[in-house]
Amino acid sequence: MIHLSPFRILLLCLSALPYLMYSSAAWAGEENSKPAATAPALDARNLLEWGKKGSGPGEFNVPISIAVSPSEEVFVVDHYNARVQRFAKDGKFIGEFSGGPSPSGIAIDKDGNVYVGHFGDIPKGSKDNQRTPANIIVFDPSGKFLRQWGRTGDGDGEFNMPGGMAFDRDGLLYVADQTNHRIQVFDPTGKFIRKWGEYGSKPGQFGGNEPIKSRVGGPQFVTFDREGNVYTTEAELGRIQKFTPMGKFLMSWGDNQDKPGSFGGKLAGDVPHSGGLKGPIALCFDKENRLWISAVCGRVQAFSTQGQYLGGFGFEQGSKSGQFWAPHGVAVDREGHLYVVDALNHRIQKFAISK
């Protein structure tokens, strides 16, 4: 959720979803819809997987975010290796470049330039305990530095643990400014355009069940449907919120119950300092305008734009093909294949998903 540092091993298209049918209340724009009926598992065929824990080419140390470029190359934020890795669609390693300390979210513009967020964290292994600035750094497709903007703070254009990022159809960059509990919008040069959100649990607020300084609350990731509406994830509330591009609240749904169609369930295994992490993480739309959402519990699930649960997979955590351990970023390529960042298995999985 993009939520690594609180427990320093885990946690941001921005790109990686419950037993819910939207209710009439959701249609009316009320805060949450209610669970209704189950949906079948979607046919998700594992096409490919690559990566293992390490620091060599094609290896990862807790990857968290993913984006597919206009040229159909796959870029992955390799968090603890502090780099961005670049792959062909078949998983073949192409190259890497430094992502800066504590890289977080990633987004790619129409020209293929790569935008990488940074938590503004104290880097792992730091000897002077100095916190790096929270900012956005822009690279060309080969990893050459172009520009950067932002610093740690709560003013316009400042960040506190920025998470997932995504470009809208007009070329504006939306950033989930996690610990400031808001969405910020910029043009590609970094010019501040607008913002919305504040701490709380009401519609249009974020992160209300957690202390105000915790980024477990959210928003964590952000994405857009065909009509340009904005969708965000909130971990602790188990909530998806839907907004207009100007930030007007439209509807929300979700909860942290442990069942298909919901986002709850404990993270498997002994993960130090996980703090009972739960909830939805990343999200993206496919070619059928279905919203795919990853959750800490290992489920990757699909919804309609009105919050109707359509099905999913990954209902058992593990390391086999089609299983996940804390799935994070998700992305879809031009052919409609779904990529899932399998964070604690240190790999990427690629799926053909049924229509």
Side-chain angles (χ1 to χ4, degrees):
M1 15 203 81
I2 299 190
H3 175 73
L4 282 159
S5 298
F7 54 99
R8 303 307 299 164
I9 185 83
L10 172 67
L11 269 186
L12 52 85
C13 186
L14 310 3
S15 341
L17 306 126
Y19 169 89
L20 259 213
M21 296 285 289
Y22 60 89
S23 67
S24 58
W27 278 99
E30 295 185 9
E31 184 175 357
N32 281 288
S33 59
K34 303 297 182 183
T38 58
L42 289 174
D43 179 19
R45 180 166 55 91
N46 185 292
L47 298 175
L48 177 69
E49 57 187 71
W50 73 89
K52 63 179 181 179
K53 188 172 185 179
S55 58
E59 299 176 340
F60 301 104
N61 192 348
V62 189
I64 52 176
S65 299
I66 189 169
V68 180
S69 74
S71 62
E72 295 286 273
E73 293 179 343
V74 180
F75 289 75
V76 180
V77 171
D78 187 7
H79 181 80
Y80 278 134
N81 284 325
R83 64 183 177 180
V84 175
Q85 295 199 67
R86 180 181 171 198
F87 301 91
K89 291 192 300 181
D90 62 1
K92 181 180 178 181
F93 175 81
I94 297 175
E96 66 177 75
F97 55 90
S98 172
S102 300
S104 53
I106 188 171
I108 301 177
D109 68 18
K110 61 181 179 61
D111 298 318
N113 296 316
V114 183
Y115 295 65
V116 181
H118 298 85
F119 283 147
D121 210 349
I122 298 174
K124 185 179 180 181
S126 172
K127 295 180 180 180
D128 56 11
N129 210 37
Q130 291 297 306
R131 188 174 296 274
T132 59
N135 61 11
I136 308 295
I137 302 180
V138 187
F139 305 88
D140 76 5
S142 68
K144 179 183 177 182
F145 172 85
L146 296 177
R147 59 186 175 274
Q148 69 182 55
W149 75 86
R151 62 180 182 181
T152 304
D154 57 10
D156 294 349
E158 297 177 342
F159 305 100
N160 199 335
M161 301 292 181
M165 307 186 294
F167 281 98
D168 71 5
R169 57 191 178 187
D170 296 322
L172 296 179
L173 181 67
Y174 289 60
V175 180
D177 190 6
Q178 294 183 122
T179 313
N180 282 326
H181 305 293
R182 64 186 180 182
I183 298 294
Q184 292 200 74
V185 185
F186 302 89
D187 76 7
T189 69
K191 178 183 177 182
F192 174 81
I193 303 297
R194 59 180 172 269
K195 64 184 178 183
W196 75 84
E198 61 182 1
Y199 175 71
S201 303
K202 296 179 180 179
Q205 298 178 333
F206 300 101
N209 281 2
E210 282 287 312
I212 193 169
K213 294 299 183 181
S214 171
R215 68 177 173 279
V216 177
Q220 273 79 38
F221 276 74
V222 58
T223 196
F224 307 92
D225 64 20
R226 289 175 182 169
E227 290 70 42
N229 296 311
V230 184
Y231 297 74
T232 62
T233 51
E234 289 172 87
E236 181 60 29
L237 289 170
R239 179 169 69 171
I240 310 303
Q241 293 198 71
K242 178 179 178 180
F243 303 90
T244 69
M246 300 304 293
K248 178 183 177 182
F249 174 82
L250 296 176
M251 65 173 290
S252 67
W253 76 89
D255 59 60
N256 273 329
Q257 297 183 55
D258 185 6
K259 60 184 180 181
S262 292
F263 300 109
K266 293 182 179 180
L267 178 65
D270 182 16
V271 182
H273 314 299
S274 63
L277 184 66
K278 58 181 177 293
I281 305 177
L283 68 180
C284 71
F285 276 92
D286 66 15
K287 295 175 65 176
E288 308 301 320
N289 211 29
R290 296 176 297 190
L291 180 62
W292 289 89
I293 308 175
S294 63
V296 168
C297 62
R299 292 190 289 271
V300 178
Q301 302 174 112
F303 301 84
S304 75
T305 57
Q306 295 296 329
Q308 179 184 1
Y309 174 54
L310 302 175
F313 59 100
F315 295 103
E316 182 179 348
Q317 297 179 69
S319 58
K320 297 179 181 178
S321 295
Q323 295 180 336
F324 307 101
W325 195 14
H328 273 63
V330 289
V332 172
D333 65 19
R334 194 177 301 148
E335 297 174 85
H337 297 136
L338 177 69
Y339 298 77
V340 182
V341 176
D342 193 2
L344 292 187
N345 282 320
H346 311 285
R347 66 183 178 182
I348 307 300
Q349 295 196 64
K350 178 181 178 179
F351 299 88
I353 46 180
S354 61
K355 295 183 179 180

